[in-house]
Amino acid sequence: MRSENTLFVGGPLDGRVLPVLVGMTGQPPKTYEVPEPHDDGRPPTVHFYRRVPARVGRLGLPSGWKYEYDPAGKPSTAPKWPWRKPH
């Protein structure tokens, strides 16, 4: 599998560049989860990062990706259909 060095902004990984596996399209996953273990036996705290374009070229196309810290966590995984009523 191929990986790409990706910058992390905010949260516990602020400023680090880590290799992230890319998919068949050459893009890293849209979200990245980082578990932080605890020494006292509690379940680990999970930090969420969201993929955003690192640089945008003249044509408006992204040239590389970075992850920004998302303290709110994951959004709902339900499909977002245009005819669906908001909750």
Side-chain angles (χ1 to χ4, degrees), residues 9-31:
V9 179
L13 297 179
D14 189 26
R16 293 189 186 177
V17 177
L18 300 176
V20 176
L21 293 176
V22 295
M24 292 175 30
T25 60
Q27 296 182 355
K30 291 183 181 180
T31 58

Side-chain angles (χ1 to χ4, degrees), residues 6-72:
T6 308
L7 175 67
F8 285 79
V9 179
L13 297 179
D14 189 26
R16 293 189 186 177
V17 177
L18 300 176
V20 176
L21 293 176
V22 295
M24 292 175 30
T25 60
Q27 296 182 355
K30 291 183 181 180
T31 58
Y32 194 82
E33 300 176 12
V34 179
E36 181 182 0
H38 296 286
D39 294 335
D40 58 359
R42 291 183 294 157
T45 303
V46 180
H47 300 283
F48 293 96
Y49 286 86
R50 187 161 317 284
R51 181 186 74 187
V52 294
R55 298 171 302 282
V56 178
R58 284 189 351 195
L59 299 176
L61 299 173
S63 173
W65 300 98
K66 67 181 178 180
Y67 282 103
E68 288 186 353
Y69 183 62
D70 183 11

